[in-house]
């Protein structure tokens, strides 16, 4: 059944006071300095206030957070929270996003008595329990942590009046859909559901058909479009890691009007390597990846936000949807494996009509994914400098080898034929996803009930304690022969306690990355 479309009219004259928000909320909006609502806000707020289910599709940076928090605050002015029974629930895929939504609640709810609790991993259960027991109006949570609290019996979901599922496509990427389905069944059937996503892959479409009741569909920009204010360029590079890093350094150094930039890598191991390499070369840089503890992530993000660090090396998981205003440049160290990630990445720049530049380093092995990206954004991206076919021989690598004897070891082991071939074999596609797991990740292919430790457990341990599981092996196609040498010893059947994460000192390479880690010495 086709969904009803929200009326589309000229929205440029719209003001916040036309939307039906309460005076208190309007005052808070004025205090934040917003002068007019963004299109998604203008269209979603009246519908939410009218108690409709909303399906909001809008690219990152379009103001989706205020589109649901502002009307929620207006609606919450009626009624009071009861012990253990939160009135509204907002689900976010990552801790950072959850923390950010909490921040915006605090910002917009000045002058109101709203109790907000944040349920995310890496924070003690005790404090969170105390808040919940007292009663909260707004609960902001990542799906895993929420279910942990629920299963501990400290939380009742039967009082939920509004359920918000934010960044739904990222939830999908992170394997949270089964958790979301479960949560949707735990909250009252009569609740209002607000669902936001930047893209609408079929799995998300199905989810909305199951859990939204007669929603208003609000789509403010064509799916998977990129802002027209962003200058997008491809930069051809040889595929070797050292050549790519050199290309990256050149791009950063030559970038015009570089205020700040995010460098995206597909693998969290590369985030680490590129970060180390750039620091070594004197760049003002921080890293953001899924293995960092909550405090260091927030610190890195804050330093980047306030301009203390100019560059942030990040993985998709770590950076998705983060509220980082005014990024002037995005550098894709790797072309993303999923075309939709390209849209999200470059959506970090060119926000709110500002100019932005996005460079994507491509090598021979990226032809296929590049095709998918160009198909998705419905335009060709031009090369800055020579394209792949006209890329001069690998001067960079030869120079590096001449100058740096210590790099020869690794390269010497590769045959000249291997050297000409892209490194795909050593970096299989599926490693990217498995390598950079979210904090409370659930392997998508493996229903939780099948995990042995889950059945054995009598007393539930906090989810973080059982976060690390052999996902890499679970998710890797077993018949592939390009994943490296035949496993020795336990092979794929490694007991889970041996796979538990070990805290490493910040600068040392991750164990499985030891092989490539020495490349940072360039
Ligand atoms: P999304 O969730 O769609 O990616 P956010 O809600 O994080 O976007 O908002 C992106 C940025 O836009 C934030 O910095 C936010 O403060 C800002 N913003 C939101 N609404 C407005 C508005 N009406 N006017 C100006 N800036 C806004
Ligand atoms: Mg958002």
């Amino acid at each position: 059944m086709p969904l009803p479309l929200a009326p589309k009219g000229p929205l440029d004259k719209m003001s916040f006071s036309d939307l039906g928000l309460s005076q208190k909320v309007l005052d808070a909006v004025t205090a934040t300095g917003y002068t007019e609502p963004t299109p998604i806000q203008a269209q979603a707020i009246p519908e939410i206030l009218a108690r409709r289910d909303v399906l909001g599709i809008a690219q990152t940076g379009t103001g989706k957070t205020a589109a649901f928090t502002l009307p929620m605050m207006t609606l919450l002015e009626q009624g009071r929270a009861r012990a253990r029974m939160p009135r509204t629930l907002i689900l976010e895929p990552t801790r950072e996003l959850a923390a950010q939504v909490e921040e915006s609640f605090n910002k917009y709810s000045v002058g109101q008595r709203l109790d907000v609790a944040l349920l995310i991993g890496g924070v003690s259960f005790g404090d969170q329990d105390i808040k919940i027991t007292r009663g909260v109006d707004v609960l902001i949570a990542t799906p895993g942590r929420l279910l942990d609290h629920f299963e501990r019996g400290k939380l009742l979901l039967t009082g939920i009046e509004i359920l918000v599922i934010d960044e739904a496509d990222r939830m999908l990427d992170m394997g949270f859909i089964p958790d979301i389905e479960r949560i949707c069944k735990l909250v009252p059937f009569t609740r209002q559901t607000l669902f936001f996503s930047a893209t609408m892959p079929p799995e998300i479409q199905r989810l909305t058909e199951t859990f939204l009741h007669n929603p208003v569909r609000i789509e403010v920009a064509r799916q998977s479009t990129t802002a027209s204010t962003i200058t997008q360029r491809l930069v051809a590079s040889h595929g070797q890691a050292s050549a790519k890093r050199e290309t990256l350094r050149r791009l950063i150094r030559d970038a015009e009007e570089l205020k700040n930039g995010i460098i995206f890598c597909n693998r969290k191991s590369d985030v680490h390597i590129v970060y180390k390499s750039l620091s070594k070369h004197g760049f003002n840089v921080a890293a953001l990846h899924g293995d960092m503890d909550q405090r260091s992530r927030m610190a890195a993000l804050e330093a980047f936000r306030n301009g203390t660090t100019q560059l942030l090396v990040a993985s998709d998981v770590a950076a998705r949807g983060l509220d980082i205003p005014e990024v002037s440049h995005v550098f894709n160290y790797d072309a993303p494996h999923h075309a939709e990630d390209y849209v999200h990445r470059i959506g970090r720049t060119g926000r709110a009509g500002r100019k932005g530049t996005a460079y994507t380093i491509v090598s021979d092995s990226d032809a296929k994914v590049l095709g998918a990206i160009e198909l998705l954004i419905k335009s060709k991206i031009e090369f800055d400098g020579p394209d792949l076919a006209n890329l001069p021989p690998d001067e960079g690598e030869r120079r590096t080898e001449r100058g740096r004897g210590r790099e020869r070891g690794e390269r010497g082991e590769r045959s000249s034929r291997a050297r000409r071939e892209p490194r795909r074999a050593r970096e299989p596609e599926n490693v990217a996803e498995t390598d950079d797991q979210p904090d409370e990740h659930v392997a998508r292919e493996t229903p939780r009930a099948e995990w042995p430790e889950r059945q054995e457990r009598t007393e539930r341990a906090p989810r973080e304690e059982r976060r690390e599981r052999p996902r890499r092996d679970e998710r890797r196609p077993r018949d592939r022969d390009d994943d490296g040498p035949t496993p020795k010893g336990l092979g794929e059947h490694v007991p889970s306690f041996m796979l538990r994460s070990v805290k490493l000192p910040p600068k040392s390479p991750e164990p499985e990355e030891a092989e490539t880690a020495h490349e940072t010495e360039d």
Side-chain angles (χ1 to χ4, degrees), residues 173-440:
D173 292 352
M174 295 172 75
F176 280 148
I177 297 305
D179 283 352
I180 300 287
E181 288 179 336
R182 233 189 111 199
I183 295 166
C184 283
K185 289 175 190 156
L186 294 172
V187 299
F189 182 75
T190 52
R191 95 264 157 182
Q192 181 180 13
T193 309
L194 314 176
F195 195 102
F196 294 91
S197 194
T199 57
M200 264 293 160
E203 295 93 330
I204 295 293
Q205 183 67 40
R206 269 198 299 279
L207 197 67
T208 62
E209 281 158 15
T210 315
F211 293 109
L212 297 188
H213 303 305
N214 190 24
V216 194
R217 181 185 174 110
I218 300 169
E219 199 167 345
V220 297
R222 184 164 53 88
Q223 250 189 71
S224 310
T225 47
T226 52
S228 56
T229 50
I230 306 173
T231 306
Q232 303 173 53
R233 292 289 179 266
L234 300 175
V235 179
S237 169
H238 294 279
Q240 291 84 356
S242 59
K244 286 177 76 173
R245 288 196 300 269
E246 190 171 301
T247 306
L248 175 67
R249 289 197 296 276
R250 176 174 59 78
L251 282 175
I252 298 172
R253 288 194 181 115
D254 295 353
E256 278 173 32
E257 294 175 53
L258 176 73
K259 182 175 168 282
N260 55 0
I262 306 184
I263 297 138
F264 283 101
C265 302
N266 289 353
R267 287 167 294 272
K268 104 190 137 189
S269 53
D270 280 338
V271 170
H272 189 74
I273 292 168
V274 170
Y275 159 72
K276 276 185 75 175
S277 162
L278 287 175
S279 328
K280 191 162 278 177
H281 282 269
F283 291 94
N284 176 6
V285 63
L288 194 70
H289 62 73
D291 268 0
M292 289 160 66
D293 64 46
Q294 177 68 359
R295 251 210 342 231
S296 356
R297 287 207 234 182
M298 291 311 229
L301 199 55
E302 186 47 38
F304 185 67
R305 242 188 233 142
N306 67 27
T308 315
T309 40
Q310 186 191 25
L311 300 167
L312 186 69
V313 190
S315 62
D316 290 292
V317 167
R320 176 69 158 233
L322 291 179
D323 179 13
I324 307 165
E326 299 189 59
V327 179
S328 71
H329 284 69
V330 167
F331 301 93
N332 291 315
Y333 174 80
D334 301 297
H337 291 311
H338 303 289
E340 286 181 350
D341 279 333
Y342 178 81
V343 178
H344 287 289
R345 289 180 180 187
I346 77 163
R348 312 278 99 221
T349 185
R351 286 181 165 204
R354 288 187 202 102
K355 278 200 294 183
T357 308
Y359 287 110
T360 302
I361 300 177
V362 291
S363 45
D364 286 337
S365 58
D366 294 320
K368 206 172 115 194
V369 71
L370 195 57
I373 290 169
E374 291 182 332
L375 196 68
L376 183 74
I377 64 170
K378 296 190 174 67
S379 67
K380 264 201 112 47
I381 312 172
E382 281 172 42
F383 274 89
D384 185 84
D387 63 13
L388 283 166
N390 297 303
L391 189 61
D394 195 353
E395 273 303 318
E397 185 177 45
R398 259 185 279 139
R399 201 171 52 232
T400 316
E401 278 194 28
R402 250 183 278 129
R404 320 252 172 173
R406 61 191 150 167
E407 281 221 334
R408 253 172 238 148
E410 190 241 354
R411 295 230 169 70
E413 284 160 28
R414 302 185 78 200
S415 68
S416 57
R417 185 177 158 271
R419 206 175 300 167
R420 265 180 277 118
E421 301 230 325
R423 269 212 190 172
R424 202 185 243 154
R426 284 184 50 198
E427 300 171 348
E429 280 196 15
N430 58 334
V431 170
E433 282 200 328
T434 53
D435 213 318
D436 207 349
Q437 296 301 340
D439 320 309
E440 292 140 294

Side-chain angles (χ1 to χ4, degrees), residues 58-66 68 92-93 97 100-101 166-167 196 320-323 348 351:
Q59 58 192 108
T60 24
T62 50
K64 294 190 286 294
T65 316
F68 62 82
E92 293 287 336
L97 284 167
Q100 228 167 260
V101 170
D166 194 21
E167 304 277 354
F196 294 91
R320 176 69 158 233
L322 291 179
D323 179 13
R348 312 278 99 221
R351 286 181 165 204

